Amino acid sequence: MIIPTELINHLRQAGRVAVLTGAGISAESGVPTFRDAQTGLWARYDPQELATPQAFYRNPQLVWDWYRWRRELTSQAAPNAGHLALVEMARRVPHFTLITQNVDGLHQRAGSQEVIELHGSLARSRCAVEDVLIEGWPAGPGLPTCPRCGSLLRPDVVWFGEALPAGALKAANNAARAADVFFTIGTSALVYPASELPLEALEHGATVVEINPERTPLTRYVNFPLTGPAGEILPLLLHETWPDAQP
Ligand code: BV8
């Protein structure tokens, strides 16, 4: 993979860089992507069906078991070279904003600060009635209940049909509009409104870079489609742009 010189120059001169990541950046950490075929017990379930309020209220135990399975998977995973390259890139540009659709917390574990979590996090649960956040993850296999009101707890993630956290979405939109360079990394670009962010960036004059082994509906619009895994391309791009970058 050759990183285009024009992109390297854009990055070196960029004052504001914004990055949107999806499940693909965690693939090389061994975390299945959202639309990868699910394995084992979960093979017969469509994630898009499970990640909904309807599924939760129809069968909260099934949905809790699914999230416990995913949290187990992600807690055993380690950040990969792609996550780490973004930590170093943030040190190299004047204004860096990291926006993620992921709920696995791997960016934070890699050392990224101030991560904008558009779809929530497996690190937290909340009361399904009062919305109050409960730090940590309820132990035990049963249905966890709110210590304050006794209602069901739910994972603190955004399900299909639910609004994204208003503050996170506003911050993400602002970063996309102000970006000199906008990266979309490891996302199928299918889920709204996150999928609008790269288009916002393009409309406001950003240089948009896509890093993905596959083509997506966005590929034909971006300035630099870099085809390949993030864990290989990001470190290469980092060192081509800033030869003294660490690691
Ligand atoms: C909302 C959290 C409104 C939970 C998730 C019809 C048309 C358009 C839109 C809609 C529609 N019908 C409904 C909608 C809206 C809907 C939507 O967009 N649906 C889509 C599917 C059509 N959106 C919503 O419902 C959103 N809310 O619109 O609310 C509203 C407003 C006000 C009031 C009330 C309501 C909520 C969306 C959030 C849903 N929650 N996750 C959980 O995780 O369990 S989204 C889910 O998909 C994932 O979590 C992830 O965040 C998201 C996107 O997936 P990706 O991250 O892209 O992962 P994917 O597997 O798809 O792709 C991985 C990519 O990585 C691939 O391209 C692959 O090639 C690549 N890859 C693989 N390996 C690597 C790699 N890349 C780099 N390196 C590698 N090594």
Side-chain angles (χ1 to χ4, degrees), residues 22-25 27-28 33-36 48 51 66-67 70 101-103 119 157-164 185-193 211-214 216 228-231:
I25 197 165
E28 290 156 275
T33 67
F34 194 75
R35 285 166 184 79
D36 265 346
Q48 216 143 290
W66 182 50
Y67 278 99
R70 288 176 62 196
Q101 302 173 88
N102 299 340
V103 297
H119 295 159
V157 298
V158 179
W159 283 325
F160 288 99
E162 294 186 321
L164 275 59
I185 303 170
T187 180
S188 55
L190 293 174
V191 175
Y192 174 86
I211 299 176
N212 196 319
E214 313 283 336
T216 72

Side-chain angles (χ1 to χ4, degrees), residues 29-32 42 64-78 103-104 106 109 122-123 137-138:
S29 296
V31 178
W42 303 104
W64 262 111
D65 290 349
W66 182 50
Y67 278 99
R68 284 188 175 115
W69 174 68
R70 288 176 62 196
R71 183 175 155 94
E72 184 56 30
L73 274 183
T74 53
S75 61
Q76 288 166 13
V103 297
D104 59 27
L106 285 177
R109 282 166 50 197
L122 290 178
W137 192 256

Side-chain angles (χ1 to χ4, degrees), residues 189-202:
L190 293 174
V191 175
Y192 174 86
S195 54
E196 299 283 292
L197 292 169
L199 301 174
E200 281 280 320
L202 270 173

